[in-house]
């Protein structure tokens, strides 16, 4: 590793400058990538992104205390910072265009304001599991540069029912305290049809409450919600969002790009054919493909090889198909 970077990262650590630390760690990752140390670069990147540091532990001065559920003391949200880019998620071209437009609107907020216009701010992601909804919210948070406030609805609701409305209030109050990308992930539970007879009256009240809070929200944060049960959302829910984005299963071309992305850390054998594996993975989600790639990479590593074999990928695809069959994957399209 470049000795200059090594010195800088030690300095950032001793100064407790986390922003600087991350920036240098990122430069080191980029340097390793340039040196074609793909495996190492990927590992470093993973450490920096997926296990990204929970900010409130490290930035206690900047991040207001995390609200908790009164009854059980659970944290109602998490604040994390990600360092991802557009190429970390392989999206349909139209989807990426819409998302880039949202970022652009935010960047040009002042110009829009001179015409009395506001950037889009409340976005709903829907689509089958494993298609990159949560990942995209992390990418958006990275690009916009606002930390991600991650709200898993289950933790808000699964606590004492009587507490739920107050939990929501706490989350919205928290949102007022900064500029965030707020992700209401797995929003299904609250978006369940309000007049669904199986729902408890309390939940219905909470849903109405949430809708009102969402509608009245005028703060500076970008709000995203994600669900894979669009049929559970009633008209009232849709109306509250400025943009609704569908995350579909990837087509052949996109599957090929996802395979390439997750297999780029290793060389391939001579008969390797990306086109074939893309064809054989019809109806696979991004997450399914990632799993196949991990399986195939492991097979290579455990065999002591430094290249991925085409047949191993094919085997991993068959295994994944069996798993998907077992799970009786819900068909969307
Ligand atoms: N389009 C994609 N491009 C690249 N990687 C993807 C894509 N979709 C999924 N993945 C991989 O699968 C993982 C899981 O995806 P993610 O959690 O974003 O799915 P999701 O749409 O939020 O699913 P769920 O509806 O079950 O919450 C991602 O972290 C990523 O590693
Ligand atoms: Mg998700």
């Amino acid at each position: 590793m470049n000795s200059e970077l090594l010195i800088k990262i030690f300095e950032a650590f001793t100064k407790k400058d986390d922003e600087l630390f991350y920036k240098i760690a990122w430069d080191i990752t980029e340097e390793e990538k340039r040196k074609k140390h793909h495996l190492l670069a990927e590992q470093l990147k993973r450490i920096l992104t997926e296990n990204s540091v929970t900010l409130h532990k490290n930035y206690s001065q900047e991040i207001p205390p995390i609200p908790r559920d009164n009854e059980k003391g659970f944290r109602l949200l998490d604040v994390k910072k990600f360092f991802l880019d557009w190429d970390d998620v392989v999206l349909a071209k139209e989807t990426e265009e819409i998302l880039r437009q949202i970022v652009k609107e935010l960047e040009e907020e002042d110009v829009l304001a001179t015409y009395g216009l506001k950037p889009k701010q409340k976005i709903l992601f829907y689509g089958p599991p494993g298609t990159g909804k949560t990942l995209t919210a992390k990418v958006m948070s990275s690009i916009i540069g606002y930390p991600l406030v991650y709200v898993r609805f289950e933790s808000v609701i699964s606590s004492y029912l009587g507490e739920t409305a107050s939990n929501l209030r706490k989350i919205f109050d928290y949102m007022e305290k900064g500029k965030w990308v707020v992700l209401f992930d797995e929003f299904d539970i609250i978006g369940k049809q309000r007049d669904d007879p199986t729902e408890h009256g309390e939940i219905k009240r909470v849903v109405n409450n949430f809708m009102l809070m969402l509608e009245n929200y005028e703060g500076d944060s970008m709000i995203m919600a994600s669900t894979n049960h669009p049929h559970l959302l009633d008209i009232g829910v849709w109306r509250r969002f400025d943009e609704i984005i569908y995350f579909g299963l990837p087509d052949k071309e996109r599957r090929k790009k996802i395979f390439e992305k997750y297999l780029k850390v290793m060389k391939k054998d001579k008969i390797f054919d990306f086109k074939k594996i893309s064809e054989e993975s019809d109806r696979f989600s991004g997450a399914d493909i990632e799993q196949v790639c991990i399986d195939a990479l492991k097979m290579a590593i455990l065999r002591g090889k430094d290249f991925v074999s085409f047949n191993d990928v094919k085997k991993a695809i068959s295994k994944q198909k069996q798993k998907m069959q077992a799970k009786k994957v819900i068909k969307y399209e």
Side-chain angles (χ1 to χ4, degrees):
M1 194 209 302
N2 175 329
S3 56
E4 205 180 307
L5 287 176
L6 195 58
I7 294 168
K8 276 194 189 153
I9 203 163
F10 270 68
E11 280 175 355
F13 177 76
T14 47
K15 282 189 211 149
K16 295 197 170 28
D17 186 340
D18 293 293
E19 285 288 346
L20 186 63
F21 185 90
Y22 266 102
K23 196 190 158 300
I24 299 163
W26 204 245
D27 288 346
I28 293 171
T29 311
E30 286 298 316
E31 193 189 61
E32 293 304 321
K33 211 188 298 174
R34 272 197 302 278
K35 287 191 205 152
K36 301 217 180 317
H37 297 160
H38 292 302
L39 196 55
L40 178 61
E42 273 305 308
Q43 270 174 340
L44 294 175
K45 193 167 160 188
R46 254 178 204 271
I47 296 170
L48 285 176
T49 54
E50 285 182 11
N51 303 323
S52 92
V53 180
T54 303
L55 282 183
H56 48 266
K57 278 192 195 139
N58 297 279
Y59 292 72
S60 47
Q61 318 87 307
E62 298 167 36
I63 305 293
I66 304 296
R68 288 175 185 268
D69 167 277
N70 280 343
E71 203 64 39
K72 303 224 169 110
F74 292 149
R75 309 158 71 85
L76 295 173
L77 50 89
D78 268 308
V79 185
K80 292 189 179 191
K81 191 150 190 174
F82 292 91
F83 295 84
L84 298 169
D85 212 332
W86 290 114
D87 61 6
D88 286 295
V89 61
V90 184
L91 295 168
K93 198 164 155 272
E94 318 78 70
T95 313
E96 189 170 322
E97 270 168 18
I98 298 170
L99 293 166
R100 282 182 185 265
Q101 176 72 18
I102 291 169
V103 173
K104 193 146 199 219
E105 287 187 13
L106 198 62
E107 282 167 0
E108 303 291 334
E109 194 172 9
D110 296 344
V111 183
L112 289 178
T114 60
Y115 292 89
L117 299 170
K118 282 182 73 182
K120 285 188 176 145
Q121 190 183 27
K122 299 165 192 172
I123 324 287
L124 177 66
F125 294 163
Y126 77 102
T131 47
K133 299 181 292 299
T134 303
L135 177 60
T136 298
K138 293 174 184 172
V139 169
M140 292 287 278
S141 144
S142 313
I143 288 169
I144 292 169
Y146 299 169
L148 186 80
V149 167
Y150 182 88
V151 184
R152 185 179 283 109
F153 249 105
E154 226 180 325
S155 65
V156 180
I157 311 264
S158 69
S159 55
Y160 245 69
L161 273 179
E163 274 297 306
T164 317
S166 108
N167 284 349
L168 275 176
R169 185 72 266 155
K170 285 182 199 167
I171 292 168
F172 275 82
D173 286 347
Y174 193 88
M175 280 155 58
E176 297 296 333
K177 295 179 185 165
K179 282 187 178 185
W180 324 101
V181 166
V182 185
L183 174 63
F184 290 96
D185 210 14
E186 290 157 35
F187 164 77
D188 323 346
I189 187 150
I190 203 151
K192 274 193 182 142
Q193 217 147 18
R194 278 180 285 175
D195 47 12
D196 179 344
T198 60
E199 286 302 332
H200 193 284
E202 172 90 6
I203 293 216
K204 280 187 206 164
R205 261 204 307 282
V206 172
V207 173
N208 286 329
N209 209 334
F210 175 73
M211 293 308 153
L212 219 62
M213 287 189 205
L214 190 64
E215 192 156 13
N216 293 334
Y217 179 76
E218 285 189 352
D220 294 325
S221 296
M222 170 78 71
I223 304 183
M224 296 178 181
S226 96
T227 176
N228 46 46
H229 291 295
H231 47 283
L232 293 177
L233 301 177
D234 75 359
I235 310 281
V237 177
W238 301 104
R239 245 187 328 111
R240 263 68 174 203
F241 291 95
D242 302 323
E243 187 77 72
I244 293 166
I245 304 178
Y246 177 62
F247 283 67
L249 292 172
D251 62 9
K252 205 167 57 187
E253 285 312 306
R254 197 144 64 91
R255 292 199 296 274
K256 183 164 172 277
K257 285 192 191 146
I258 302 176
F259 272 115
E260 286 167 350
K261 171 178 163 53
Y262 289 114
L263 290 176
K264 74 166 182 261
V265 293
M266 244 191 219
K267 288 180 279 184
K268 327 287 176 291
D269 64 1
K270 288 211 176 65
I271 57 163
F272 208 93
D273 186 342
F274 275 107
K275 195 160 165 275
K276 275 225 174 76
I277 55 176
S278 318
E279 279 161 6
E280 284 180 24
S281 50
D282 188 33
R283 304 203 60 79
F284 277 38
S285 68
D288 294 328
I289 296 176
E290 186 190 23
Q291 189 55 55
V292 165
C293 295
I294 291 172
D295 285 350
L297 289 172
K298 281 184 184 164
M299 287 187 232
I301 294 163
L302 297 179
R303 221 184 278 131
K305 304 281 189 217
D306 65 350
F307 56 85
V308 196
S309 113
F310 178 55
N311 286 325
D312 282 351
V313 176
K314 287 206 336 189
K315 249 186 252 164
I317 288 177
S318 307
K319 208 175 98 196
Q320 190 66 20
K321 279 186 182 163
Q322 283 170 8
K323 245 201 247 172
M324 286 157 69
Q325 196 69 27
K327 272 202 240 159
K328 289 203 174 65
V329 174
I330 310 155
K331 291 225 158 39
Y332 266 77
E333 290 155 321

